[in-house]
Amino acid sequence: MYTIREIIEITQATPIQLKQSNQEIHHLLLDSRKLYHPTQALFFAIDGEHHNGHDFVQDLYQKGVRSFVIAQADFPIDLFPQGNFLLVKNVIKTLQIIAARHRQQFAFPVIGITGSNGKTMVKEWLAKLLVKHYRIVKSPKSYNSQIGVPLSVWQMHSRHNLAIFEAGISQHGEMAALQQVIKPTLGIFTNLGTAHDEGFANREEKIREKWQLFQGCQQIIGCYEHLVSYPDLFHDRRLLTWGQDASADVQILAKQTLDNQQVTRVEYVFQQQKYTIDIPFVDEASLENVMHCLLALLYLQIPLQDIQERISRLRPISMRMELKRGVRNTYLIDDSYNNDLAGLKIALDFMSTQDAQLQKVVILSDMLQSGMSSDLLYRSIADLLKSKQIDQLIAVGSEFLKHQSYFEQLATTFVETTAQLLPHPRLAALSKAVILIKGARRFRFEQLVLQLQQKVHGTVLEIDLDALVHNLNYYRNRLQADTKLMVMVKAFAYGSGSAEVAHLLQFHRVDYLAVAYADEGVFLREHGITLPIMVMNPGEDTFDKLLQYDLEPELYSFRILEAFIHFLIDRGQSSRIHLKIDTGMRRLGFTPEEIPELLAFLSQQTKTNVTPLQLVEIASVFSHLAGADDAIHSNYSQEQIALFKQVTLQIETAIGYKVIKHILNSPGIVRFPEAHLDMVRLGIGLYGIEANQLEQDQLRVISRLKTTISQIKHLKSGQTVGYGRKGVAKRPTKTATIAIGYADGFSRAFSNGVGKVLVNGVKVPVIGNVCMDMSMIDVTEVEVNEGDEVIIFNNELSIIELAQSIQTIPYEILTNISERVKRVFYLE
């Protein structure tokens, strides 16, 4: 805790307005949407790539925040008479200075972890391995950036006696700042991979940049084979290495996978003594991460017996939070294997992005080994839940039972065990709610998830919300600051789930959404979406819904325009509309030749002595490029753009005000930056497809479609498979029947070897005809079992490759995925 006056002394900020110099600051706030305890918060108005924090000061002030760090000397502080305003040159640097000073208050050991991969897993495993011996503070999730690290270090408290922080960088010059904040006493270098290569001249520059984290460390842990190629680093006397080379401090003599077990027995030598340890993993990445942890435990002098016992109990850690549809009109946020206070804050922030009309329910287990006193821990949990306006708490565990009094302001249910909760009537009564499920592993909350989630067959479309946000920001970065962004969520958000995607887009403050039909817009409104929504194909029978749900129609012909105007006259109401201009697509829209007639109609008086322009506000005028994704049509696209500019000038001159003008779709955003105009329309690009194929490597795949093997059969040569006996075994053949068919969106065009799927990393063909609910694949060359996972598409087997195999486009593959296929949304 620091007072505002102390913050000024630490940062040398200029207090351009100081009303409450003794205000105590407990929380550093960077995102206005993640507000807790406003009277104790200091907001940092960061001018970022996508948002300027200064734009959110007014909203935060109205919510009770009174202290702000700003970088705009001309900021209108007179509008906020009770506010503290600290003026600085660099807001992020100021945040780091505060965190660095806070770090100086503590003398206990600090472990700093960096590398290209494995940072978060090593941090989480170390915390589990050391929890019996230390009271630990650690980075939440993967808070390892220029702003994530300061927020992590800010958590340090006198109740802790060990800190574990991770640090990640993407370009030269970043690590020195993070080193000043973390100041680790023990360093761990996980490995060097390709991540963020583009930010450095070469790999050597990248490893040297990462190595700066270890300035001042007493010891640095790393893999001998990873470091031997960098002689000056390799000869650092502080190094404690593991590897197969005899020169490693911990030399691995042998590795053996135990029969029928997911266990690797490792024989190693340390300080001239031989040891054996059983590691409950067989993959190389996990073994590498465990070895880093092993050396850290040896350095910290943890007894060998404890090391073996703790490592044998390690399990894969779910690094993602999943959003699933539940029974009785509920959504589940499944964070059932992760339960700490920092993680709870992150989960509650994610919960706040969901439908505000739904009841907020939190199911929590006791928080184990938090390093805090029980009273302080459960009082802090209660404060968090109250600040996020949680409607109902269902708590499991003896500690919650002891501290019920802290939760009296909430609707609560307390039980001691998960077994008692499963049949509880309160659980069965949950409906129309978003439910956060978060518990320590021993409480086995996966049983709750199974009971509450919607029951569907085993085919699942997983949607990576982090990847979706990455793609959104990729396109945002190409725009001018004043160019608006409309995002297409029609066709069930290209198969991804319209309500879930729309909530994320609303949270990230896009300007407009667009749907094909009014019913899609109604669905979004009923699920709490308040953004402006354009309806691209309004029918006369839906005009009532347009007004009722504040939806804005695209009007593209005299017939639909006149019908809508007459409807408004009859209702005595007005509306915002969007005019579609046909500049060469020849699908929908007013042609340039029709514009004089259109303008005449808009200005003529109706029988009620008003003009159409008095009944409607033209929110935007737009057109559509016919060949934006192909360079062969570039000249034609330029002609369309020029014609559109002429038409919009004509319209704006006639109506007397400016309208939003937009003509570019996803491929157009990339190919024609000079034509971004007032707004662009982002569609397939958001979902990971760069239609030009110019910058596909800049986007992330957002979805993975997977199913399971239902049954395995063995065919003799000449036997047939499926309807029409189209699949013929040309040799002794092993087939697998998988739980996906054309009713799920797996096209019949994939029949008879055209389609390929991935089974245990091997690409195998479809055999015979695709059926309605299932398909058969040839797995003769693959080791498989019934129940094994089958990938229809992912990073390795792309949607683009699938589309090309049946001569279609990725749009069709995505939008054909049936709504009966379960959608699971997740955040890393």
Side-chain angles (χ1 to χ4, degrees):
M1 179 273 295
Y2 299 81
T3 67
I4 281 294
R5 189 166 295 283
E6 289 171 329
I7 295 287
I8 293 170
E9 292 173 2
I10 291 168
T11 62
Q12 296 299 296
T14 301
I16 57 176
Q17 180 170 288
L18 195 60
K19 296 294 184 179
Q20 304 175 46
S21 62
N22 292 320
Q23 182 191 357
E24 295 181 352
I25 299 301
H26 295 261
H27 307 285
L28 306 183
L29 178 64
L30 278 64
D31 189 329
S32 63
R33 300 161 298 191
K34 300 178 180 180
L35 177 61
Y36 299 88
H37 309 298
T39 59
Q40 301 174 356
L42 175 61
F43 178 66
F44 293 80
I46 296 172
D47 189 355
E49 288 183 323
H50 316 299
H51 302 292
N52 186 338
H54 298 81
D55 296 337
F56 305 102
V57 169
Q58 182 173 358
D59 178 57
L60 287 168
Y61 187 83
Q62 292 173 348
K63 292 177 179 177
V65 177
R66 288 296 177 265
S67 293
F68 304 88
V69 176
I70 63 173
Q72 292 180 359
D74 59 349
F75 190 79
I77 59 174
D78 55 301
L79 298 177
F80 312 98
Q82 298 304 312
N84 296 318
F85 285 88
L86 312 186
L87 181 65
V88 300
K89 291 181 179 180
N90 186 313
V91 175
I92 293 177
K93 183 65 177 174
T94 301
L95 170 70
Q96 294 171 345
I97 290 170
I98 294 171
R101 173 62 70 87
H102 185 63
R103 163 69 181 90
Q104 292 174 15
Q105 311 307 309
F106 305 96
F108 54 74
V110 174
I111 301 174
I113 307 170
T114 193
S116 295
N117 305 104
K119 297 184 293 293
T120 303
M121 191 61 73
V122 169
K123 176 202 68 186
E124 294 294 332
W125 277 349
L126 271 179
K128 288 188 177 298
L129 292 167
L130 292 168
V131 72
K132 281 178 58 177
H133 303 275
Y134 292 94
R135 298 183 303 280
I136 298 169
V137 58
K138 61 184 176 70
S139 308
K141 296 287 185 176
S142 53
Y143 274 36
N144 57 33
S145 67
Q146 296 293 301
I147 59 176
V149 166
L151 294 179
S152 299
V153 170
W154 181 254
Q155 300 175 105
M156 294 178 77
H157 193 276
S158 58
R159 63 177 171 268
H160 302 123
N161 59 9
L162 178 69
I164 310 174
F165 301 127
E166 56 177 294
I169 55 171
S170 58
Q171 60 188 18
H172 183 72
E174 291 185 334
M175 189 59 88
L178 299 186
Q179 190 277 334
Q180 288 296 310
V181 177
I182 298 175
K183 284 199 174 294
T185 55
L186 171 64
I188 298 177
F189 182 78
T190 58
N191 55 43
L192 188 69
T194 60
H196 303 300
D197 272 358
E198 68 278 4
F200 302 90
N202 51 51
R203 292 283 183 88
E204 187 165 345
E205 181 184 74
K206 184 164 75 170
I207 193 172
R208 291 183 189 285
E209 177 73 19
K210 289 178 179 291
W211 208 258
Q212 290 185 48
L213 176 64
F214 306 134
Q215 181 181 343
C217 280
Q218 299 162 9
Q219 199 93 55
I220 305 168
I221 291 168
C223 173
Y224 184 99
E225 284 77 13
H226 289 169
L227 298 172
V228 71
S229 301
Y230 305 94
D232 55 335
L233 303 180
F234 180 71
H235 293 296
D236 192 317
R237 293 182 179 180
R238 300 171 296 165
L239 266 180
L240 181 66
T241 62
W242 63 270
Q244 296 183 351
D245 194 282
S247 299
D249 297 289
V250 171
Q251 182 194 5
I252 295 177
L253 299 177
K255 291 189 293 186
Q256 175 191 2
T257 302
L258 301 186
D259 291 342
N260 300 318
Q261 298 182 50
Q262 293 292 302
V263 174
T264 302
R265 178 160 292 165
V266 176
E267 295 181 31
Y268 67 93
V269 175
F270 177 59
Q271 296 179 342
Q272 301 181 335
Q273 294 289 319
K274 286 187 179 182
Y275 302 95
T276 299
I277 188 167
D278 289 343
I279 298 175
F281 303 98
V282 295
D283 63 288
E284 284 302 318
S286 295
L287 294 176
E288 184 177 290
N289 292 337
V290 172
M291 290 306 298
H292 292 314
C293 293
L294 171 62
L295 263 68
L297 299 182
L298 292 172
Y299 169 77
L300 293 169
Q301 300 182 343
I302 304 301
L304 287 171
Q305 184 176 350
D306 282 3
I307 291 176
Q308 174 61 81
E309 188 267 334
R310 300 296 292 179
I311 284 180
S312 69
R313 293 167 58 185
L314 283 179
R315 295 293 181 269
I317 294 175
S318 175
M319 302 309 297
R320 68 189 207 181
M321 189 160 39
E322 295 184 342
L323 176 68
K324 307 172 180 178
R325 292 199 174 180
V327 295
R328 299 183 294 277
N329 297 313
T330 61
Y331 282 94
L332 311 181
I333 300 174
D334 180 2
D335 203 11
S336 54
Y337 289 118
N338 187 336
N339 200 28
D340 57 40
L341 199 58
L344 177 59
K345 288 182 181 179
I346 293 170
L348 290 173
D349 286 337
F350 179 61
M351 191 180 206
S352 68
T353 71
Q354 303 307 307
D355 189 347
Q357 300 174 100
L358 296 177
Q359 185 185 33
K360 293 180 182 178
V361 179
V362 174
I363 304 178
L364 288 179
S365 77
D366 284 350
M367 286 191 185
L368 308 177
Q369 299 167 318
S370 70
M372 300 170 66
S373 70
S374 291
D375 279 353
L376 178 59
L377 174 63
Y378 288 92
R379 192 182 303 116
S380 299
I381 294 172
D383 288 344
L384 268 180
L385 298 180
K386 292 169 192 172
S387 69
K388 282 297 182 180
Q389 299 179 319
I390 299 305
D391 298 297
Q392 185 179 166
L393 168 67
I394 299 175
V396 182
S398 57
E399 289 299 311
F400 265 114
L401 285 167
K402 291 177 188 175
H403 297 90
Q404 293 183 47
S405 60
Y406 294 146
F407 302 91
E408 289 177 348
Q409 295 181 28
L410 299 171
T412 54
T413 301
F414 295 93
V415 296
E416 188 155 2
T417 67
T418 306
Q420 292 171 348
L421 179 58
L422 287 167
H424 200 286
R426 181 59 63 88
L427 202 65
L430 292 177
S431 66
K432 295 182 178 179
V434 55
I435 305 167
L436 171 61
I437 301 174
K438 193 169 181 60
R441 182 179 290 273
R442 68 179 242 193
F443 286 89
R444 298 189 64 193
F445 270 14
E446 69 273 15
Q447 298 174 78
L448 298 176
V449 175
L450 286 172
Q451 182 164 314
L452 292 173
Q453 72 181 359
Q454 221 172 48
K455 305 302 186 289
V456 291
H457 65 68
T459 300
V460 175
L461 181 67
E462 296 182 331
I463 295 110
D464 181 347
L465 296 179
D466 289 318
L468 191 143
V469 172
H470 167 87
N471 296 341
L472 174 68
N473 289 335
Y474 163 75
Y475 283 98
R476 264 189 165 149
N477 288 342
R478 304 188 71 94
L479 306 179
Q480 296 296 318
D482 57 351
T483 301
K484 297 180 184 297
L485 186 62
M486 173 183 280
V487 181
M488 316 305 287
V489 290
K490 60 182 181 176
F492 202 49
Y494 289 62
S496 298
S498 54
E500 297 86 351
V501 170
H503 276 291
L504 190 70
L505 295 171
Q506 183 164 273
F507 182 76
H508 286 277
R509 299 187 172 105
V510 304
D511 300 286
Y512 255 96
L513 300 178
V515 297
Y517 298 102
D519 285 348
E520 294 176 314
V522 170
F523 177 81
L524 294 180
R525 288 284 186 251
E526 289 179 340
H527 284 76
I529 299 302
T530 58
L531 288 171
I533 299 175
M534 180 175 80
V535 178
M536 304 181 74
N537 292 288
E540 293 184 39
D541 58 341
T542 65
F543 286 170
D544 271 325
K545 288 184 177 179
L546 295 178
L547 294 187
Q548 181 183 351
Y549 290 93
D550 192 23
L551 306 174
E552 303 173 14
E554 166 194 324
L555 301 178
Y556 50 81
S557 71
F558 286 107
R559 176 191 61 81
I560 194 74
L561 173 60
E562 291 174 5
F564 192 61
I565 293 298
H566 288 311
F567 171 79
L568 293 177
I569 291 171
D570 291 342
R571 288 302 182 89
Q573 292 181 264
S574 60
S575 175
R576 289 164 61 89
I577 65 168
H578 302 260
L579 292 179
K580 176 72 173 286
I581 309 300
D582 183 0
T583 56
M585 181 79 168
R586 299 187 180 91
R587 186 173 60 180
L588 293 175
F590 295 97
T591 65
E593 294 77 18
E594 292 175 318
I595 298 305
E597 183 181 353
L598 170 63
L599 294 173
F601 172 79
L602 290 172
S603 60
Q604 72 183 12
Q605 284 199 340
T606 65
K607 59 184 180 181
T608 56
N609 296 319
V610 297
T611 67
L613 278 177
Q614 292 173 298
L615 295 170
V616 298
E617 176 190 349
I618 302 175
S620 84
V621 178
F622 71 105
S623 189
H624 197 74
L625 297 183
D629 57 352
D630 197 330
I632 197 172
H633 301 303
S634 289
N635 288 339
Y636 189 77
S637 295
Q638 293 289 3
E639 291 171 6
Q640 283 190 266
I641 292 166
L643 184 56
F644 178 68
K645 288 179 178 179
Q646 293 173 20
V647 169
T648 53
L649 178 60
Q650 191 178 356
I651 291 173
E652 287 181 331
T653 301
I655 66 176
Y657 59 86
K658 297 289 186 181
V659 299
I660 297 172
K661 298 173 284 294
H662 49 111
I663 192 171
L664 298 184
N665 57 3
S666 297
I669 295 170
V670 173
R671 199 179 285 277
F672 304 106
E674 74 283 359
H676 287 170
L677 305 179
D678 302 312
M679 186 159 70
V680 297
R681 300 187 302 276
L682 179 58
I684 192 71
L686 179 71
Y687 306 98
I689 306 295
E690 209 286 273
N692 298 296
Q693 292 300 292
L694 296 174
E695 300 189 13
Q696 182 62 51
D697 60 341
Q698 299 298 310
L699 298 182
R700 287 171 54 183
V701 174
I702 76 155
S703 52
R704 180 173 83 140
L705 182 60
K706 65 179 185 178
T707 187
T708 56
I709 292 176
S710 302
Q711 189 174 19
I712 294 172
K713 290 185 175 291
H714 296 271
L715 279 62
K716 298 175 182 178
S717 182
Q719 287 187 316
T720 60
V721 181
Y723 285 120
R725 305 184 65 204
K726 295 294 185 182
V728 180
K730 297 178 180 178
R731 56 175 178 167
T733 300
K734 179 170 61 174
T735 67
T737 301
I738 58 176
I740 188 171
Y742 57 78
D744 303 298
F746 192 60
S747 172
R748 287 194 86 239
F750 290 123
S751 300
N752 303 310
V754 174
K756 306 288 192 301
V757 298
L758 281 174
V759 183
N760 295 333
V762 180
K763 196 180 294 186
V764 301
V766 173
I767 182 170
N769 282 327
V770 172
C771 308
M772 179 181 288
D773 307 305
M774 59 196 76
S775 304
M776 287 68 71
I777 55 177
D778 184 341
V779 292
T780 306
E781 306 298 331
V782 189
E783 285 295 323
V784 295
N785 295 293
E786 292 179 0
D788 279 1
E789 184 177 87
V790 177
I791 302 298
I792 308 303
F793 60 73
N794 65 355
N795 283 323
E796 299 170 54
L797 182 56
S798 73
I799 298 172
I800 295 171
E801 183 180 342
L802 257 64
Q804 290 172 343
S805 71
I806 59 172
Q807 289 79 53
T808 188
I809 55 177
Y811 299 74
E812 185 174 347
I813 300 291
L814 283 172
T815 57
N816 278 354
I817 299 171
S818 168
E819 289 196 39
R820 80 177 186 178
V821 172
K822 178 181 177 181
R823 269 74 172 171
V824 173
F825 303 83
Y826 66 91
L827 288 167
E828 296 293 347

